[in-house]
Amino acid sequence: MQTYSPVTAEFIEELKQITGPSYVKTDADLLIAYQTDYESDPKLFHMPEAAVAPASAEEISQILKLANRYKVPVTVRSGGTSLADGAIPVCGGLVLLMERLNKILELNEEGMYMTVEAGVRTIDLQNRAKSAGFLYAGDPSSSESSLIGGNLATNAGGLKAVRYGVTRHQVYALEVVTPTGEIVEVGGILKKCSTGYCLEQLIIGSEGTLGVITKVTVKLTPLPPYRFDVLAVYDSPTPALHMVPQLIKAGIEPTSIEYMDNSYVRGCADYCGYENMPGYEKGVYVIITVETYDADDADKKMEQVADICEQSGAVDVLEADDRIWNMRRNCQTSVELISKVFLTDDVVVPVHRIADTIEKIMDIGNAYPFEVKINAHIGDGNLHIVLCKTDMSDEVWEKSVEAFHNEVYAYAYSVGGRLAGEHGIGAKKLRYMEKFTPEGEKHLMRTIKNALDPNNILNPGKILNFHE
């Protein structure tokens, strides 16, 4: 990793002139909040030397020009919900806080789009769209705490990706501040465009390494008036996982197909304080949501879904009420009940390989001395693995985790998968990105990064070792 300059008194004084003194933080008691995101391992924490909360793209532009002049690294922080150490300032320097860019600027009902600043909470965007009779389809589990800019930076997936796609599929246009401080607008409110490079899609998913997203125009769709949620309970994972192709081939177009293994069923029920949940003792859950614009169509599809679940071996088919979805949204936090030390991972494979992959990972996990928990967006091939540390030394834990990951990632790539479906690479998967990504892809990524960010100022130490 290259060497950066320390944050000096002169740098801080110029920073205060840009935003005003009250929006610059240098006190260690305040900076400690930014040494991590969702990471719980103190060995991976890094303290920044300063933090700043700008109010506009213009201020961010001046800050990045200042950082380039002083050679100070900048880490962009949205809601701090990254599961890949994406917001940890691994090189120290300055943390750029996005919370003040929190305005909803326009909701255009005729054009069915909304323009917001990057610091708007995802749920506030969703609720504003809903109040006007529209759906914003981006729906990560962290919607109540994540900011839309962070969703864009990681190309967040979420619970509605089966039908609507991931965050990049919801976007028309972006306003971005480049690593060297230029303010540019990319994309447009167009159904199609073949005019040069698709720059908005390049920025989305780049995890704050190619630019600071300051504004976004997202697509809206009419809010479907009819919806039903089904809980199918199975007594083993195999039939639960293999029913997905049947559901897709039936033309039902589900919005969500979610999977929870039994450890999650029990753990989430306990965490949420729900008693007598179906399948608590040994059941696995498949949660299916279907949305439609026609009442008769909803009735027909509900019968189809129930039939497919029963014919595939479900021991119970019920309405999935709010408790079920609350359990699903709390999969991550429920782990804290059983283990203070755990590691969260996400892998994506072709949809038709999701069943095989989960079965393979469960088999791999049997050889290791920790508990392996799996929940998944099985309708889009994205699965989440949590490893819970049991009674073992740190050395055994770290060696076992490394070996497990190497086996899992090698299998995922062998079936056409990748390291991450929605969490991103961040700093957590840096070494695996180097190991498993083909050289041609890494070369293209480094070429783009070095061209846009010649001083490697913006979010260094994430995705790839851009300067080797």
Side-chain angles (χ1 to χ4, degrees):
M1 188 64 64
Q2 71 185 72
T3 301
Y4 295 96
S5 300
V7 170
T8 62
E10 291 78 10
F11 179 89
I12 293 298
E13 284 306 309
E14 290 196 49
L15 200 59
K16 289 178 178 178
Q17 291 175 21
I18 295 171
T19 63
S22 60
Y23 297 111
V24 177
K25 303 178 183 182
T26 56
D27 191 312
D29 291 340
L30 299 176
L31 295 178
I32 198 169
Y34 310 123
Q35 67 181 339
T36 188
D37 40 33
Y38 203 82
E39 178 59 63
S40 59
D41 184 353
K43 295 192 295 296
L44 300 176
F45 295 179
H46 292 270
M47 279 281 284
E49 298 164 79
V52 62
S56 66
E58 289 72 22
E59 289 186 357
I60 292 172
S61 170
Q62 294 178 60
I63 290 167
L64 290 181
K65 289 177 180 178
L66 180 68
N68 275 276
R69 182 153 50 88
Y70 278 86
K71 301 298 186 291
V72 170
V74 177
T75 301
V76 187
R77 185 184 181 91
S78 288
T81 59
S82 172
L83 295 171
D85 299 353
I88 295 178
V90 296
C91 297
L94 180 67
V95 169
L96 189 69
L97 308 173
M98 299 299 292
E99 60 218 32
R100 292 180 66 204
L101 281 80
N102 58 7
K103 299 181 185 66
I104 294 176
L105 302 172
E106 179 188 11
L107 193 157
N108 189 301
E109 296 191 18
E110 184 177 4
M112 292 195 298
Y113 64 83
M114 190 189 311
T115 302
V116 304
E117 292 183 324
V120 170
R121 281 197 313 160
T122 311
I123 195 168
D124 292 335
L125 191 163
Q126 292 171 325
N127 288 339
R128 178 67 184 91
K130 187 176 182 179
S131 70
F134 294 101
L135 170 71
Y136 169 67
D139 191 27
S141 294
S142 61
S143 60
E144 292 192 2
S145 51
S146 65
L147 308 183
I148 187 63
N151 294 177
L152 294 159
T154 58
N155 187 30
L159 303 177
K160 292 184 171 69
V162 179
R163 179 171 180 178
Y164 297 105
V166 295
T167 298
R168 69 169 68 252
H169 300 121
Q170 320 306 327
V171 174
Y172 276 128
L174 301 175
E175 178 184 77
V176 182
V177 183
T178 71
T180 51
E182 292 76 28
I183 301 173
V184 298
E185 294 185 1
V186 293
I189 306 169
L190 304 167
K191 291 293 289 185
K192 61 181 181 179
C193 179
S194 184
T195 310
Y197 302 135
C198 193
L199 296 175
E200 71 276 12
Q201 295 299 326
L202 175 63
I203 298 298
I204 296 169
S206 64
E207 301 185 42
T209 63
L210 300 182
V212 180
I213 298 168
T214 53
K215 186 168 64 177
V216 58
T217 299
V218 298
K219 303 173 185 177
L220 305 177
T221 60
L223 192 64
Y226 303 100
R227 165 183 171 149
F228 63 87
D229 300 88
V230 169
L231 169 64
V233 183
Y234 293 80
D235 57 13
S236 73
T238 299
L241 295 168
H242 285 277
M243 60 82 68
V244 176
Q246 301 172 49
L247 204 62
I248 301 297
K249 289 178 182 178
I252 291 170
E253 295 185 302
T255 298
S256 306
I257 315 175
E258 300 293 308
Y259 171 85
M260 295 169 61
D261 70 12
N262 183 250
S263 70
Y264 270 118
V265 172
R266 289 183 281 107
C268 292
D270 293 345
Y271 178 81
C272 296
Y274 299 149
E275 297 181 355
N276 303 316
M277 295 304 294
Y280 180 87
E281 293 299 330
K282 62 176 184 178
V284 298
Y285 282 6
V286 175
I287 313 165
I288 303 160
T289 296
V290 176
E291 298 172 316
T292 180
Y293 296 93
D294 181 83
D296 292 337
D297 185 47
D299 292 340
K300 177 185 175 182
K301 288 180 175 178
M302 187 183 298
E303 291 181 10
Q304 286 180 287
V305 170
D307 288 344
I308 289 171
C309 292
E310 290 169 357
Q311 291 169 13
S312 64
V315 296
D316 210 352
V317 180
L318 309 162
E319 178 186 0
D321 58 24
D322 289 342
R323 294 176 305 162
I324 303 300
W325 278 115
N326 196 36
M327 288 170 60
R328 175 62 187 88
R329 289 184 181 276
N330 279 286
C331 279
Q332 180 68 30
T333 50
S334 71
V335 179
E336 298 170 10
L337 280 182
I338 61 171
S339 180
K340 291 184 178 179
V341 179
F342 59 91
L343 198 150
T344 302
D345 196 5
D346 96 304
V347 175
V348 65
V349 296
V351 175
H352 70 282
R353 301 305 301 263
I354 185 70
D356 297 343
T357 301
I358 291 178
E359 290 168 349
K360 178 66 175 180
I361 291 172
M362 292 165 60
D363 184 55
I364 292 172
N366 290 332
Y368 289 90
F370 41 64
E371 181 182 1
V372 179
K373 299 164 65 71
I374 295 178
N375 69 83
H377 312 295
I378 52 176
D380 58 38
N382 188 198
L383 59 110
H384 302 291
I385 311 162
V386 169
L387 309 180
C388 299
K389 185 182 180 185
T390 51
D391 188 17
M392 68 184 80
S393 68
D394 288 347
E395 183 180 5
V396 170
W397 163 252
E398 290 169 6
K399 287 183 177 179
S400 298
V401 166
E402 181 80 8
F404 174 85
H405 278 153
N406 277 305
E407 281 197 72
V408 168
Y409 298 151
Y411 179 81
Y413 272 78
S414 76
V415 298
R418 293 293 184 269
L419 288 175
E422 59 185 6
H423 293 171
I425 301 301
K428 181 173 284 185
K429 290 189 175 181
L430 197 65
R431 64 188 183 279
Y432 300 116
M433 187 74 169
E434 294 289 343
K435 179 176 182 178
F436 288 99
T437 304
E439 287 301 322
E441 287 186 34
K442 288 189 291 187
H443 175 70
L444 283 176
M445 291 182 193
R446 288 196 183 98
T447 300
I448 293 168
K449 171 67 171 177
N450 290 332
L452 294 179
D453 189 5
N455 293 317
N456 197 22
I457 288 297
L458 200 49
N459 214 8
K462 311 295 169 62
I463 302 185
L464 284 170
N465 290 322
F466 292 107
H467 289 264
E468 298 180 320

